[in-house]
Amino acid sequence: MTEGDIREEILDILESIAPDEDLTQIDDGVNFRDQLELDSMDFLDIVMELRKRHRIQIPEDDYVQLASMKSTVTFLEPLMKDIERV
Amino acid sequence: MYDTIIIGAGMSGLAAGIRLAYFEQRVCILERHTTIGGLNSFYRMRGRDYDVGLHALTNITPRGTKRGPLARLLKQLRLTRDELQIAPQLGSEVVFPGVRLRFSNDFELLRAEIAREFPQQIDNFERVVSEIVEYDDLDESHQAVSARQKLGEIISEPLLIEMFFCPLMFYGSAREHDMDWGQFSIMFRSIFMEGLGRPYAGVRLILKHLVRKFRGLGGELKLRSGVERLAVEGGRVCGVVLDSGEELRADRVLSSAGWLETMRMCDDGQPVSHRGAGQLSFCETIATLDVQPEKIGHRSTITFFNDSKKFSWKKPDEPCDVHSGVICSPNNFDYGGQRLEEGTMRITALANFDYWNDLSEYDYEMEKLRWYDRITDSGVRFVPDYRHRVIDTDMFTPATVVRFTGHEGGAIYGTPEKQFDGRTHLDNLFVCGTDQGFVGIVGSIVSGISMANRHCLKG
Ligand SMILES: Cc1cc2nc3c(=O)[nH]c(=O)nc-3n(C[C@H](O)[C@H](O)[C@H](O)COP(=O)(O)OP(=O)(O)OC[C@H]3O[C@@H](n4cnc5c(N)ncnc54)[C@H](O)[C@@H]3O)c2cc1C
């Protein structure tokens, strides 16, 4: 997956977790928490969805890497670059 | 071999099960009863559908609200608001001698009522509200401050304090006489600031969605499968032994059976940590009417009443305490044009478990009839008299609660000492539901979700 694919995938996950949020206006550099109503349970869901969909294990200490779209994509790129896009 | 075994198919167990099955765990829910729902189940009798508990769902925020327990629950279980078909209350009230405070899902009504009935207290009331808003329910340092003490420092009219306690204790206090400030804040928000609602089809609709979702995700549910004991080896649970003698193995166990009940199941000979069993149980009368309650002048959704200035929240010495109660009419929700076929009036009153438990079968039936009348006679002092319109009745007692849930002493809200982190003396045994901390339907669902997340999904 390219960084663009990963970004799309994260948007898809956010859509399933928070169907009522408007995701078209997301600013990649700003923390999710500051632009979406996400709580700690939602962050766990991002991690769990990644595990479910792509078998990626993210240790709890790394959850902080998922703060914004930009940091998430940067963090996931080495883990997901070899995954085929479906 | 399962990843997780869940004990109990009540609201908390089912919700936990959905979370784990959704994330592909091999999960099995074991339920002793012949049906799901636990404390909030349903049954059919003489051709009529009954709900065991459900008066109303709490925490009913307007559609589209992104915060609060209801929004969290829907998101976490991937349910939509439409699936639950929640109809808002028409309006409820707290009635004490000479004073009536009405409230609805619009908090402004309660504000206006307090300004009218207690004009001197309105500023103090606002101070209480702002403290309640600040209270963070996900914060672990649950404030074990006495709500009585805290309210007493701000509100100088004791009657108003009693009028807050009456509905909040009836809907969620495991503790006699007082509440923790944290629990008071949670209950105040969920009832007064968020609101009450009910699905047209009652609790069966909620349960149907939960169980369908769970099974659809590959979860296993075994009814008539009571857990007799937990097999413990070297500080860990390795599996469960059913009443039938069958053994099942799992990496971890999440129990909604209650704290004491779960501790007693452990076969490691560990002394059961001393923790007071809950004392508070209910009797409930259910009357079916040949008329819609509205037609006899009753429009209140829920009427909390108390017949003196002081509200007593303790196990009564009498079989039932008829001085106070909760009168609920499931007809009085806004079902958008639809209405329930028959009128129903339910009254809940505090009851003494030991009394009801010790009766012979014959006396039990006789006492049910006697106390049905006493509770009803007490209730109709506060709502229009419906006794001449009754075409069918039922009643349940603390003994019924035990039959449905196995909770010791018929304790509706479990033990007063909650285990907020859900942990036990064993590394891979956790508790959820009533004794973890959140009560009520929405509360126990949130409890199941958060304990599943925290102890069964992470890592
Ligand atoms: C009369 C009444 C009215 C109520 N009204 C409302 C209301 O209007 N609104 C509201 O929000 N809440 C209401 N409640 C409270 C609400 O029903 C409970 O708080 C909630 O259902 C608790 O869910 P739970 O999952 O924690 O526990 P339970 O429902 O008690 O579930 C525990 C389950 O575990 C099973 N079990 C126990 N031991 C074992 C074992 N050893 N092996 C296998 N299974 C076992 C039990 O059979 C049970 O099904 C009411 C309760 C009552 C009694």
Side-chain angles (χ1 to χ4, degrees):
Chain A
M1 280 187 161
T2 65
E3 291 203 352
D5 297 336
I6 296 172
R7 185 177 187 281
E8 282 302 309
E9 184 64 5
I10 296 298
L11 281 177
D12 197 62
I13 288 173
L14 288 173
E15 166 80 38
S16 75
I17 294 172
D20 292 336
E21 295 281 354
D22 176 9
L23 300 171
T24 56
Q25 306 294 324
I26 282 204
D27 183 333
D28 287 14
V30 176
N31 278 358
F32 288 130
R33 256 184 218 272
D34 297 332
Q35 41 185 340
L36 303 172
E37 287 282 349
L38 296 186
D39 58 25
S40 54
M41 287 193 182
D42 298 319
F43 281 95
L44 174 66
D45 272 29
I46 299 178
V47 172
M48 294 303 302
E49 287 282 357
L50 284 166
R51 189 197 293 186
K52 180 170 168 172
R53 295 176 184 205
H54 304 290
R55 308 285 146 204
I56 299 171
Q57 300 275 1
I58 302 174
E60 217 174 321
D61 291 345
D62 284 335
Y63 289 9
V64 288
Q65 309 284 352
L66 309 180
S68 71
M69 182 63 93
K70 192 161 188 285
S71 68
T72 304
V73 172
T74 310
F75 172 72
L76 290 175
E77 200 275 333
L79 300 171
M80 295 180 74
K81 65 177 192 298
D82 295 333
I83 294 173
E84 284 291 322
R85 207 203 143 147
V86 278
Chain B
M1 181 76 184
Y2 295 100
D3 294 312
T4 305
I5 280 178
I6 297 172
I7 304 177
M11 297 287 173
S12 63
L14 288 169
I18 291 175
R19 288 291 296 169
L20 302 182
Y22 181 84
F23 290 114
E24 302 175 317
Q25 280 201 8
R26 294 201 47 194
V27 47
C28 182
I29 302 181
L30 300 170
E31 169 58 54
R32 177 168 274 144
H33 212 66
T34 51
T35 180
I36 59 169
L39 211 45
N40 236 300
S41 192
F42 54 88
Y43 59 102
R44 201 167 163 81
M45 198 178 68
R46 294 188 287 271
R48 292 197 167 82
D49 287 333
Y50 289 93
D51 282 347
V52 180
L54 180 71
H55 287 174
L57 293 174
T58 55
N59 306 89
I60 304 307
T61 36
R63 233 166 233 286
T65 305
K66 290 173 187 163
R67 283 174 192 244
L70 180 64
R72 192 179 285 147
L73 170 170
L74 292 173
K75 274 206 290 195
Q76 288 275 303
L77 298 183
R78 310 288 193 270
L79 285 170
T80 65
R81 175 88 181 219
D82 288 334
E83 283 175 294
L84 295 190
Q85 291 174 32
I86 302 163
Q89 64 167 327
L90 294 183
S92 297
E93 57 190 6
V94 187
V95 191
F96 274 52
V99 194
R100 185 177 299 258
L101 289 177
R102 292 176 306 143
F103 65 96
S104 67
N105 291 3
D106 177 1
F107 190 54
E108 293 311 314
L109 175 60
L110 182 63
R111 277 209 164 97
E113 291 279 290
I114 287 174
R116 183 174 55 77
E117 293 278 7
F118 298 97
Q120 260 92 62
Q121 299 297 323
I122 189 70
D123 294 337
N124 298 340
F125 172 68
E126 293 302 341
R127 272 179 59 205
V128 170
V129 171
S130 58
E131 296 228 7
I132 287 170
V133 170
E134 274 165 33
Y135 180 78
D136 178 358
D137 61 355
L138 285 183
D139 182 352
E140 287 293 313
S141 58
H142 196 85
Q143 296 184 36
V145 176
S146 150
R148 245 182 217 294
Q149 189 189 336
K150 181 123 187 164
L151 290 169
E153 286 163 9
I154 306 177
I155 292 179
S156 53
E157 172 53 76
L159 178 59
L160 180 57
I161 297 179
E162 299 296 311
M163 290 185 82
F164 287 145
F165 273 129
C166 172
L168 303 191
M169 285 175 159
F170 260 113
Y171 273 7
S173 178
R175 169 153 294 157
E176 296 183 291
H177 309 296
D178 200 355
M179 293 172 88
D180 301 339
W181 174 248
Q183 178 65 0
F184 181 89
S185 300
I186 290 171
M187 293 307 300
F188 189 98
R189 284 197 296 227
S190 61
I191 293 171
F192 292 133
M193 306 187 74
E194 297 178 339
L196 304 176
R198 181 184 184 276
Y200 179 77
V203 80
R204 64 198 67 213
L205 182 94
I206 302 170
L207 288 169
K208 191 185 82 184
H209 279 300
L210 294 179
V211 83
R212 255 201 207 149
K213 189 129 221 171
F214 176 64
R215 287 206 163 115
L217 291 163
E220 263 181 74
L221 169 64
K222 292 185 199 277
L223 298 174
R224 296 184 188 82
S225 300
V227 175
E228 201 249 322
R229 70 191 162 82
L230 295 168
V232 179
E233 266 170 40
R236 292 176 66 81
V237 196
C238 48
V240 306
V241 181
L242 302 185
D243 295 335
S244 64
E246 188 186 345
E247 289 184 34
L248 299 170
R249 299 183 75 80
D251 284 342
R252 62 187 84 74
V253 173
L254 180 61
S255 170
S256 70
W259 176 264
L260 282 173
E261 294 82 350
T262 304
M263 289 302 112
R264 290 205 186 103
M265 281 184 237
C266 298
D267 70 359
D268 55 353
Q270 182 87 7
V272 173
S273 66
H274 180 76
R275 187 169 298 205
Q279 298 297 324
L280 296 158
S281 196
F282 293 155
C283 274
E284 178 145 299
T285 65
I286 306 169
T288 306
L289 313 185
D290 65 356
V291 63
Q292 295 282 323
E294 175 194 8
K295 285 275 171 4
I296 53 169
H298 181 61
R299 281 176 202 86
S300 167
T301 307
I302 298 175
T303 299
F304 298 92
F305 70 86
N306 188 59
D307 67 6
S308 70
K309 284 187 181 272
K310 190 113 179 77
F311 173 64
S312 160
W313 185 248
K314 67 174 181 60
K315 178 177 179 173
D317 301 325
E318 294 253 280
C320 293
D321 179 352
V322 297
H323 295 291
S324 64
V326 187
I327 307 171
C328 167
S329 174
N331 303 84
N332 291 342
F333 289 84
D334 179 3
Y335 298 115
Q338 271 182 305
R339 46 176 228 183
L340 300 179
E341 247 165 66
E342 293 180 309
T344 303
M345 300 289 288
R346 316 176 59 117
I347 309 181
T348 310
L350 283 167
N352 179 309
F353 170 77
D354 304 319
Y355 179 80
W356 291 97
N357 193 47
D358 293 346
L359 293 171
S360 69
E361 207 173 309
Y362 176 79
D363 287 342
Y364 180 74
E365 292 308 320
M366 295 312 285
E367 285 299 275
K368 259 170 69 166
L369 295 175
R370 205 151 75 92
W371 285 93
Y372 172 93
D373 286 341
R374 291 203 180 170
I375 292 171
T376 309
D377 295 351
S378 171
V380 297
R381 295 177 296 164
F382 300 88
V383 294
D385 193 347
Y386 58 83
R387 286 173 296 187
H388 55 300
R389 311 305 303 248
V390 175
I391 52 173
D392 200 359
T393 67
D394 194 22
M395 165 142 167
F396 74 74
T397 74
T400 324
V401 175
V402 174
R403 200 158 60 240
F404 271 92
T405 68
H407 286 318
E408 185 170 290
I412 304 276
Y413 300 123
T415 157
E417 281 170 67
K418 303 302 182 192
Q419 187 68 25
F420 293 110
D421 67 5
R423 290 181 193 282
T424 67
H425 66 294
L426 301 177
D427 283 350
N428 60 343
L429 171 66
F430 308 98
V431 294
C432 71
T434 309
D435 282 348
Q436 182 264 318
F438 295 119
V439 299
I441 296 171
V442 171
S444 51
I445 291 177
V446 169
S447 166
I449 292 171
S450 53
M451 291 303 108
N453 285 352
R454 190 156 160 189
H455 300 302
C456 311
L457 281 179
K458 279 189 191 167

